Every structure is written in C-alpha cells, then in structure tokens.
Amino acid sequence: MTSHTVTRHDVTFGSGGDTCAAWLFLPDGVENPPVVILGHGLGATREMRLDAFAERFAQAGIAALAFTYRHFGDSTGRPRQLLSIKRQLADWDAAIAHVKTRPDIDNTRVAVWGSSFGGGHAVIVAARHPELLAAIAQCPFTDGLASARALGPKGTMRVLPAVAADILSHVRGKAPVLLTLAGAPGEKALMTAPDALPGYLALVPEGGTFVNEVAARVAPTITWHRPGKAAKDVQMPILFCICDHDSVTPPDETIAYALTAPKNEIKRYDAGHFDIYLGEPFEAVVADQTEFLTRHLKA
C-alpha cells in the first residue's frame, strides 16, 4: 500500500452559533480524496491521540477531519466543560456539513469514526446520515445502564450530591458545578475504574493539558443514553472495534448491539478501554480500520 506524506491544516466550522476547532489531514498528491471525520470520547479533545489515527488514515490516501466538541479544548462555547449529548450530536452534523462544502475532498465519499463516548455518537450519526459510506465505532459507549453498573452503586451515590447541586445551579443561572471526570477507585468521579485516570493522562501529549472535569448535570443523561439501540438502523457498513477487557464500556452489551447492525463487521482486541490508543493495540486497530476505510471508501 502506498504511504503518502501528509499535510495538517487548522480549520474551524460553525455549530449552533459556536465554533468547533479541527485539524484536516490531507494526503499529499491525492486529488479529491475520500474523508473520515473523527470525534473523541467523554471530555477528551482531538489532541488526545485523534491525530495519531487521522495521520495513519491520511497516509493511506484518506483525508481525515479530527474535531473538538463545543465547550471543550480550543473550541468555543459557554459554559466551559458542558457535556451535552444533543449539542455534541449537532457538532457531528456540522462536521459532516462542513466536509460537504470543501473543494479539496470528495464529499460523496464520507465516513465517521468515533471512540468511546464518541463511538456511541458515531452509531447514532451513521443511522441519521444514510449518505455516509462507512462508520467506525471504537470501544464504543453503547448502553448507559451497563456503564453505570460498571461504576457500581457506591460510585453512583458519591456523584449524586454534585449532580443535584449542578442542576440547581443551572436553574438559578449560575456557573456549573463541576465533577471530576476520571478518578482513582473510591473517589467521587464519573469514571473510577483502575485504568481510567492513568488511561486519560496517557493520552495527553507532552506539554499538553487535560481539564479533568465536566458539568455534573450530565451524569443522569449518560445513564439513560443508549446509542447502541441505533445500530439496527445503520444501513452502511459499520466496524465495531471492541476491547475484551473494557472497564468503561462493557463488551458483552456492545457485541449484542453490534450484531443488530445489518452490515456489521466486528473486530475484538485483547486490550482494555484505554490501551487501544497506544502501542501494539493501537497498531492492530489502526491497521484494521485503515483496511476497512480503504475498502468501503474506495481509496
């Protein structure tokens, strides 16, 4: 397979009156390449290893747009650290609309790629956009109740006071009450699996920053969010990359949902939720994803 040199461009696109910051990776010397849009997981930004995947896809001749959701990173949106499922899905719609206007890519050959919480988004977006040619859901969040069980009843009880305080703050028009996103076991946080905090920190580039907080009001919306139910409505080929030792998005539920997608392809990895971004697990998954995208986007 030809390996292209890659040029990264800083781009932005509008969403709901705000601006999403993004990187567009273009394969040098390829006219009208297909494009894959990449979105990250819970509270993460594109700097946290989305560039690693995007660059590999671009080396294979596939343009890649990696973006950061509103309210996070260098995208705009107030208040900061607000995780709204509805707004993040609107950001995906805006990203798709943006690539359809670009003259430097083939806007008839578009795919989406989401990881973790973004993997759940990718399933919903693929179901809503039948014009897409392919979708990838990596260690996807598919069932909030299953993830809540992974947190456990004690962990759930720890976050409830912050949730109540933030909802009251929102009603009063005050600044959000923030909740730790990833914490050590036993701490008050949305994720407390042993690999959650070190897993997030391992994705932060040297000299980079990661704001390990979200507005607490999101917790109940996550619990009742079941993006896996949309898999049955995804009409294009969709690749599910599932980690067998996933402590955040339990693999059994994900596999059950994946099997309902009419054109599903399932790959499993001997890895944990955060292992997939680095080292040998990364090399394995990015090779599978590149092959999948090349095949279905006719790169």
Side-chain angles (χ1 to χ4, degrees):
M1 183 182 293
T2 302
S3 181
H4 299 274
T5 57
V6 177
T7 301
R8 190 184 84 181
H9 303 269
D10 293 325
V11 301
T12 59
F13 57 88
S15 181
D18 287 307
T19 301
C20 290
W23 289 322
L24 178 65
F25 294 76
L26 289 176
D28 297 333
V30 180
E31 291 188 15
N32 296 317
V35 62
V36 56
I37 301 167
L38 295 90
H40 219 318
L42 206 65
T45 62
R46 69 188 187 283
E47 291 84 359
M48 298 167 71
R49 294 289 292 172
L50 286 198
D51 51 343
F53 288 89
E55 188 162 17
R56 288 295 185 90
F57 300 150
Q59 287 172 355
I62 302 165
L65 181 79
F67 74 96
T68 297
Y69 300 108
R70 285 178 286 168
H71 304 280
F72 292 90
D74 56 350
S75 294
T76 67
R78 296 285 177 180
R80 304 306 294 166
Q81 304 307 117
L82 176 66
L83 200 162
S84 162
I85 294 170
K86 182 179 179 179
R87 293 188 186 192
Q88 290 197 348
L89 289 170
D91 293 346
W92 278 97
D93 292 339
I96 293 171
H98 173 73
V99 300
K100 288 180 179 178
T101 68
R102 296 194 65 92
D104 46 6
I105 55 178
D106 183 351
N107 56 30
T108 67
R109 293 185 289 161
V110 182
V112 291
W113 178 106
S115 191
S116 192
F117 205 64
H121 289 337
V123 176
I124 294 174
V125 170
R128 292 180 177 180
H129 287 270
E131 75 276 15
L132 298 173
L133 294 189
I136 295 175
Q138 175 175 285
C139 52
F141 174 97
T142 55
D143 192 300
L145 287 174
S147 292
R149 287 195 297 269
L151 178 62
K154 289 183 178 179
T156 301
M157 292 300 293
R158 288 190 196 100
V159 305
L160 288 181
V163 172
D166 189 35
I167 292 173
L168 183 59
S169 181
H170 178 53
V171 170
R172 291 176 172 175
K174 304 293 186 181
V177 175
L178 298 177
L179 177 66
T180 299
L181 181 59
E187 289 186 348
K188 183 174 69 175
L190 275 181
M191 287 179 282
T192 57
D195 59 341
L197 181 56
Y200 266 93
L201 295 179
L203 305 183
V204 181
E206 185 175 350
T209 58
F210 165 56
V211 181
N212 188 21
E213 292 177 314
V214 291
R217 71 192 71 163
V218 74
T221 68
I222 291 175
T223 301
W224 299 110
H225 188 45
R226 300 175 73 187
K229 294 176 69 175
K232 66 182 186 301
D233 300 318
V234 177
Q235 298 304 312
M236 73 284 301
I238 179 168
L239 174 63
F240 289 87
C241 299
I242 299 171
C243 299
D244 285 340
H245 311 294
D246 199 316
S247 62
V248 178
T249 57
D252 289 346
E253 283 81 1
T254 300
I255 291 168
Y257 283 121
L259 290 171
T260 69
K263 297 180 181 178
N264 70 75
E265 297 183 31
I266 299 173
K267 295 283 188 178
R268 300 179 66 167
Y269 304 90
D270 184 21
H273 187 83
F274 297 96
D275 298 332
I276 206 76
Y277 300 95
L278 300 161
E280 291 183 9
F282 165 75
E283 294 295 339
V285 74
V286 79
D288 289 339
Q289 293 171 357
T290 301
E291 186 278 329
F292 173 84
L293 290 171
T294 300
R295 178 160 35 98
H296 292 294
L297 294 179
K298 298 177 172 58

